[in-house]
């Protein structure tokens, strides 16, 4: 935004997780937007976008739920800001599919008993911060640079894939999170697993899958020397944060039993694996912290892997 | 399945099934030339008995029942890596969705009923409450899957952190949501939608 232009203002679709297990994402998003003086107004009576389960078994239902949400969003002014990567992906997918497929659009319009509103731009928080508010202005607004904080920026699946839908960044080599971190004064690390899947909603049906995939992500971040991971999806956060202790128990140091002593060291290449806790931050928590927002209003009390020791260590608290 | 000979005959070849998959997914299965890039990038292929490229190959050969009898489709995480990387623009993620829908519509439980159960409870929650009620989702899953103790230690921790709400209120516009479900059911009954 250039000076003299109208103040930025958005309608806001938080999604189910942000009102429950990802509440700190919602709290910190609101706190950050307030600090940046950007308007944010929640869409009244929004409902679940259907996430992965709906399109998994019933695409028409998934498209209809999102189309109805998009028409509810029409009642609030401003482009639609979405924080959850899954909601963002579903809403954008719906717009993309219905614009290109007349038959599907007609079926959805019957299902929602009204016209499908497809023209409101849907934007992820990352793109609002980095592109619309602007990296330069963001850098100028930083009150407490995140100096010395090594962050592994984690994109996961749905922020950039498939390429023609989210239009957020390059689908194989994105850089929006790294750019944002540099603007906040933090140091993004180079690591191998920034776009690997965390196991997503298998957390309910097949937690073993989540433990395996998320362990690989945490390991990769540790090897790259990261102090913490930054995410933009409540499901990724849940898998990496809530299950971190379980992951350590499942894939952690060799135990001290006889078998552990004999086979453990061999399995782990002769040395005990790195067992550091890795706090998982939402992008809005780190950004708000850099903007000087008090840590009490960023929902750190809801996080399982306590980030406070790290933040104190880096003199950010 | 790996080392067994596969018998192709008129009896095992179901081209009608393949056409349904193509119609539902809006993607061709014939475009695939088996480069294997989808399976190479798939985070879940180690859990599957038929990795993604083989699912497409089985479809090309009209072996729908073979796919539905297995668990591959229920181990797809919908991460879209395959669709993103396919050099021939086969939308494999959409094909997986279509296969899951066909399994969902078919009689009898799928082999991978845990994922299907989770999906069903998730969708039930939308119909009943409008939004997800995570505590009910977890509790109902454990009850119905018979894994009563799964994630038992996680529940109280999440509640104390304010991440799980004990009670949930319904959306004000719950009638509109019910309407969407009903109208889709009607359309399907009349054969106006797949």
């Amino acid at each position: 935004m250039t000076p003299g232009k109208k103040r930025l203002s958005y309608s806001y679709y938080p999604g189910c997780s942000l009102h429950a297990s990802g509440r700190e994402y919602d709290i910190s998003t609101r706190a950050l937007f307030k600090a940046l003086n950007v308007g944010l107004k929640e869409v009244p009576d929004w409902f679940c976008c259907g996430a992965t389960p709906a399109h998994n078994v019933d695409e028409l239902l998934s498209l209809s739920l999102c189309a109805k949400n998009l028409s509810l969003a029409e009642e609030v002014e401003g482009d639609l800001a979405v924080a959850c990567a899954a909601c963002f992906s579903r809403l954008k997918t719906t717009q993309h599919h219905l614009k290109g497929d007349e038959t599907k659009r007609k079926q959805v319009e019957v299902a929602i008993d009204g016209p499908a509103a497809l023209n409101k731009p849907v934007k992820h928080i990352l793109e609002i911060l980095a592109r619309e508010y602007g990296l330069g202005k963001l850098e100028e607004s930083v009150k407490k640079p995140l100096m010395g904080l090594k962050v592994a920026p984690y994109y996961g699946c749905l922020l950039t894939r498939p390429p023609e839908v989210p239009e957020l960044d390059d689908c194989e080599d994105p850089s929006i999170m790294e750019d944002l971190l540099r603007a906040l004064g933090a140091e993004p690390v180079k690591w191998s697993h920034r776009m690997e899947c965390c196991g997503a909603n298998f957390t309910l049906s097949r937690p073993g899958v989540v433990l395996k995939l998320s362990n690989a992500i945490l390991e990769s971040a540790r090897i790259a020397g990261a102090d913490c991971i930054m995410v933009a999806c409540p499901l990724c956060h849940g898998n990496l944060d809530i299950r971190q202790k379980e992951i350590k128990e499942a894939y952690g140091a060799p135990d001290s039993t006889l078998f552990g002593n004999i086979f453990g060291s061999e399995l782990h290449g002769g040395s005990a694996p790195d067992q550091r806790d890795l706090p998982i931050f939402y992008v809005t928590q780190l950004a708000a912290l850099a903007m000087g927002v008090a840590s009490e209003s960023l929902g750190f009390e809801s996080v399982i892997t306590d980030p406070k020791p790290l933040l104190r260590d880096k003199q950010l608290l | 399945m790996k080392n067994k000979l596969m018998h192709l005959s008129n009896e095992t070849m179901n081209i009608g099934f393949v056409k349904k998959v193509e119609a539902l997914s809006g993607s061709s299965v014939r475009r695939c030339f088996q480069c294997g890039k989808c399976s190479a990038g798939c985070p879940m292929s180690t859990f599957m008995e038929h990795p993604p490229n083989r699912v497409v190959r089985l479809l090309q050969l009209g072996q729908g029942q073979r796919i539905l009898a297995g668990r591959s489709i229920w181990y797809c995480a919908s991460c879209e890596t395959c669709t993103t990387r396919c050099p021939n623009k086969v939308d494999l993620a959409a094909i997986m969705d279509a296969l899951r829908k066909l399994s969902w519509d078919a009689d009898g439980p799928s082999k991978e009923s845990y994922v299907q159960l989770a999906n069903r409870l998730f969708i039930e929650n939308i119909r009943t409450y409008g939004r997800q009620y995570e505590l009910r989702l977890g509790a109902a899953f454990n009850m119905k899957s018979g894994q009563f103790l799964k994630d038992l230690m996680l529940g109280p921790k999440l509640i104390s952190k304010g991440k799980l709400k004990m009670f949930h209120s319904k959306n004000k516009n719950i009638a509109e949501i019910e309407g969407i479900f009903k109208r889709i059911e009607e359309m399907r009954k009349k054969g106006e939608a797949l």
Side-chain angles (χ1 to χ4, degrees):
Chain A
M1 193 177 77
T2 46
K5 266 197 184 172
K6 221 178 110 198
R7 173 179 173 251
L8 283 178
S9 179
Y10 296 90
S11 49
Y12 175 46
Y13 180 86
C16 305
S17 295
L18 273 80
H19 276 204
S21 58
R23 62 187 289 275
E24 61 270 31
Y25 198 7
D26 184 49
I27 294 169
S28 55
T29 300
R30 290 174 198 270
L32 173 65
F33 275 61
K34 203 175 161 199
L36 297 175
N37 193 27
V38 177
L40 201 62
K41 192 166 180 252
E42 192 167 331
V43 173
D45 295 325
W46 58 268
F47 46 85
C48 178
C49 68
T52 307
H55 77 79
N56 250 339
V57 290
D58 192 341
E59 197 206 15
L60 182 56
L61 175 67
S62 170
L63 294 174
S64 304
L65 289 171
C66 289
K68 184 73 194 171
N69 275 314
L70 286 168
S71 62
L72 288 174
E74 291 279 312
E75 291 164 26
V76 187
E77 260 183 58
D79 296 351
L80 188 62
V82 187
C84 168
C87 301
F88 169 69
S89 166
R90 290 322 304 164
L91 293 168
K92 291 279 272 192
T93 302
T94 303
Q95 286 186 330
H96 181 80
H97 276 315
L98 297 189
K99 272 181 195 163
D101 190 332
E102 186 83 353
T103 323
K104 264 184 202 162
R105 189 174 58 77
K106 279 185 181 150
Q107 288 175 354
V108 164
E109 286 180 342
V110 173
I112 64 172
D113 196 20
L118 303 173
N119 293 322
K120 198 184 197 56
V122 175
K123 285 175 181 155
H124 191 266
I125 302 284
L126 277 170
E127 104 189 83
I128 292 174
L129 292 176
R131 308 232 174 88
E132 310 223 316
Y133 190 81
L135 287 170
K137 202 170 163 215
L138 203 68
E139 204 171 342
E140 282 167 25
S141 318
V142 169
K143 294 203 174 69
K144 195 162 55 175
L146 307 177
M147 294 289 278
L149 192 66
K150 288 185 178 172
V151 187
Y154 178 56
Y155 290 86
C157 309
L158 299 177
L159 280 177
T160 58
R161 290 193 290 245
E164 64 279 9
V165 174
E167 298 168 308
L168 180 70
D169 206 343
D170 190 290
C171 66
E172 294 287 6
D173 188 20
S175 60
I176 191 167
M177 280 189 166
E178 281 86 349
D179 296 342
L180 196 72
L181 281 168
R182 277 186 215 104
L184 301 175
E187 184 189 329
V189 301
K190 281 199 162 122
W191 64 310
S192 55
H193 278 55
R194 59 190 191 136
M195 303 198 61
E196 294 294 320
C197 175
C198 67
N201 66 334
F202 285 116
T203 193
L204 185 62
S205 50
R206 290 278 169 205
V209 167
V210 169
L211 298 189
K212 187 180 174 208
L213 298 183
S214 297
N215 174 57
I217 293 163
L218 291 166
E219 259 319 282
S220 162
R222 286 194 190 102
I223 290 168
D227 301 316
C228 58
I229 296 178
M230 180 175 91
V231 299
C233 169
L235 216 58
C236 301
H237 190 281
N239 287 340
L240 296 173
D241 173 52
I242 297 170
R243 294 203 180 267
Q244 196 165 138
K245 193 166 163 253
E246 256 178 284
I247 293 168
K248 278 188 182 178
E249 281 163 9
Y251 293 94
D255 56 30
S256 55
T257 59
L258 182 62
F259 281 117
N261 280 336
I262 295 171
F263 300 113
S265 56
E266 208 175 320
L267 283 174
H268 293 284
S271 60
D274 187 351
Q275 282 276 65
R276 270 178 305 139
D277 277 341
L278 281 183
I280 315 296
F281 291 103
Y282 284 109
V283 51
T284 45
Q285 284 178 315
L286 286 182
L289 205 62
M291 297 306 146
V293 176
S295 64
E296 292 77 37
S297 47
L298 295 179
F300 287 140
E301 71 285 353
S302 290
V303 178
I304 305 283
T305 311
D306 190 5
K308 284 179 190 145
L310 170 68
L311 293 176
R312 259 184 237 121
D313 190 38
K314 303 280 176 189
Q315 294 170 335
L316 293 168
L317 267 195
Chain B
M1 194 73 76
K2 223 175 197 173
N3 300 316
K4 265 188 202 161
L5 274 178
M6 197 165 90
H7 294 286
L8 295 180
S9 66
N10 280 340
E11 285 74 46
T12 63
M13 223 175 198
N14 185 348
I15 296 304
F17 180 87
V18 182
K19 283 192 175 146
K20 247 187 190 169
V21 171
E22 291 194 323
L24 272 167
S25 64
S27 174
S28 161
V29 300
R30 277 155 295 181
R31 296 179 67 97
C32 170
F33 56 24
Q34 291 290 305
C35 70
K37 204 169 180 180
C38 50
S39 300
C42 176
M44 303 300 290
S45 65
T46 53
F47 295 100
M48 300 172 174
E49 77 271 63
H50 304 302
N53 71 306
R54 209 147 72 197
V55 168
V56 185
R57 186 67 187 136
L58 285 168
L59 277 174
Q60 289 174 334
L61 300 171
Q63 305 296 303
Q65 287 316 308
R66 237 172 244 264
I67 301 169
L68 292 193
R71 59 191 154 82
S72 294
I73 57 172
W74 298 108
Y75 272 87
C76 158
S78 301
C79 74
E80 304 266 0
T81 311
C82 48
T83 299
T84 299
R85 294 185 182 166
C86 178
N88 271 356
K89 293 208 181 320
V90 177
D91 190 348
L92 205 40
I95 288 175
M96 289 287 187
D97 275 349
L99 289 166
R100 279 183 290 253
K101 168 142 195 344
L102 290 171
S103 168
W104 178 267
D105 291 345
D107 289 333
S110 152
K111 213 173 180 182
E112 187 43 52
S113 53
Y114 279 163
V115 178
Q116 211 173 23
L117 175 65
N119 286 345
R120 184 161 66 77
L121 293 171
F122 194 94
I123 293 171
E124 266 176 27
N125 259 358
I126 301 177
R127 197 166 183 163
T128 321
Y129 301 99
R131 292 178 194 173
Q132 286 311 312
Y133 180 10
E134 289 167 328
L135 188 66
R136 181 188 176 272
L137 197 62
F141 182 84
N142 283 12
M143 294 294 287
K144 294 196 173 161
S145 65
Q147 307 174 88
F148 302 113
L149 303 179
K150 182 183 147 287
D151 293 334
L152 192 68
M153 302 312 290
L154 230 46
K157 204 177 187 179
L158 296 181
I159 290 170
S160 72
K161 293 273 183 186
K163 281 176 170 282
L164 270 184
K165 280 187 203 154
M166 292 296 282
F167 302 103
H168 192 86
S169 53
K170 281 186 183 178
N171 262 37
K172 274 185 228 148
N173 51 357
I174 194 79
E176 284 183 49
I177 298 161
E178 180 59 29
I180 293 176
F181 276 87
K182 282 236 170 84
R183 284 186 289 268
I184 290 178
E185 282 164 3
E186 272 166 34
M187 263 191 281
R188 293 216 167 102
K189 239 185 251 165
K190 287 188 213 154
E192 288 167 1
L194 283 167

